[in-house]
Amino acid sequence: MDLTGRGAQRVGVYGGAFDPPHNTHVDLVQAAMAQWRLERLHVLPTGQPWHRPVQPTAAAHRLAMAELAFAGLPGVCVDAREVRRSGPSYTVDSLRELQALYPAARLHLLIGADQARALTTWHDWQAIVAMATLCVAARVDEAAPTGTAPALDLPGARIEHLHTPPVATSATEIRQRVAEGRPIDELVPPAVARYIDQHHLYRTAR
C-alpha cells in the first residue's frame, strides 16, 4: 500500500467486496475525488464480511482485480488492511486506523444508499458517523425522480450525496453473466475482464 500523501487533509474511504470491481466502482471513485476534492482515497476490499451469508471470492483474487481496476487513478490506493486483518471485517476498525494515519484529516466514507439505510445495524455505527462524513451514492432503483438519494435518518451523521447518475451495475449481475457465458466487456475494466477469464472465476452461478 502506498502511503505517500499521509499528511492529506481530505481522505476518502471506499470499502466493499469488489467481487468483481466494475466500471461503476471506478466512476464512483473518480466522482468522489472530484466532488469532495479528496487528496487520497483508500479502496478497501473486505476480508471476512460479517453481514454476508455467502462468502466472497478468495481475497487474493479480489485484491488483484481491485489493483487492476483502480490502477493509474491519481491519489487512489488499494488498501489490503481488511484482507490481512483476522476475524470479521468491520468498517469502524478501518476508519480508526486511517484516522490514526491521517490525524488531521476529515474522512469521507463512500457508501451506497442501501448501505446508508442499514447503517444502524453495523458494528459501532455511532463511532462511524462520528469519524466520517457519509458520502452516499444512489442506485437506479432507489433514486428519487430528481436523481438524488432518498432522505436518511441517522442521528448525528454528516451526510452528503454524490452528484453522479445513480448506480445501475451490480457485481451479482456480472457474476451471473460470466456463469452464463455472456460478455462483460462493457461492465468491467479490460484488465479485470482478462483476469476473470485467465483465472476461470465465476464459472458457476452464486
Side-chain angles (χ1 to χ4, degrees):
M1 179 182 58
D2 177 14
L3 293 181
T4 58
R6 66 183 63 196
Q9 302 297 302
R10 301 175 68 85
V11 175
V13 183
Y14 186 26
F18 300 108
D19 192 17
H22 48 72
N23 290 337
T24 299
H25 290 141
V26 178
D27 292 343
L28 290 179
V29 163
Q30 292 178 304
M33 291 288 288
Q35 181 171 327
W36 291 294
R37 300 186 301 281
L38 302 178
E39 299 164 83
R40 299 287 291 167
L41 190 146
H42 287 246
V43 173
L44 285 87
T46 191
Q48 299 179 32
W50 60 270
H51 60 293
R52 291 181 58 175
V54 178
Q55 291 299 301
T57 300
H61 285 310
R62 294 184 291 107
L63 192 62
M65 288 189 288
E67 292 278 7
L68 293 171
F70 297 100
L73 295 186
V76 177
C77 65
V78 175
D79 186 332
R81 71 181 64 240
E82 292 193 357
V83 169
R84 294 170 180 159
R85 186 186 302 143
S86 61
S89 295
Y90 294 119
T91 299
V92 68
D93 294 333
S94 297
L95 290 178
R96 286 178 175 135
E97 291 172 2
L98 290 170
Q99 189 70 84
L101 182 62
Y102 302 101
R106 180 182 180 187
L107 298 180
H108 292 68
L109 179 63
L110 180 59
I111 60 176
D114 55 338
Q115 295 172 310
R117 286 199 303 273
L119 194 69
T120 56
T121 68
W122 290 22
H123 178 67
D124 207 358
W125 71 270
Q126 295 94 335
I128 292 174
V129 301
M131 281 187 285
T133 297
L134 303 183
C135 303
V136 182
R139 287 192 57 82
V140 164
D141 53 357
E142 298 164 335
T146 59
T148 59
L152 299 169
D153 183 18
L154 292 169
R158 293 164 293 178
I159 300 171
E160 299 184 19
H161 296 292
L162 188 61
H163 300 155
T164 189
V167 178
T169 307
S170 76
T172 301
E173 173 192 354
I174 293 169
R175 295 195 300 269
Q176 185 66 38
R177 290 175 70 95
V178 174
E180 295 172 355
R182 293 189 288 153
I184 59 170
D185 298 336
E186 295 183 358
L187 301 177
V188 301
V192 172
R194 288 193 296 270
Y195 188 96
I196 291 171
D197 183 58
Q198 291 166 358
H199 293 271
H200 309 293
L201 302 182
Y202 314 127
R203 297 297 174 87
T204 302
R206 60 180 174 85

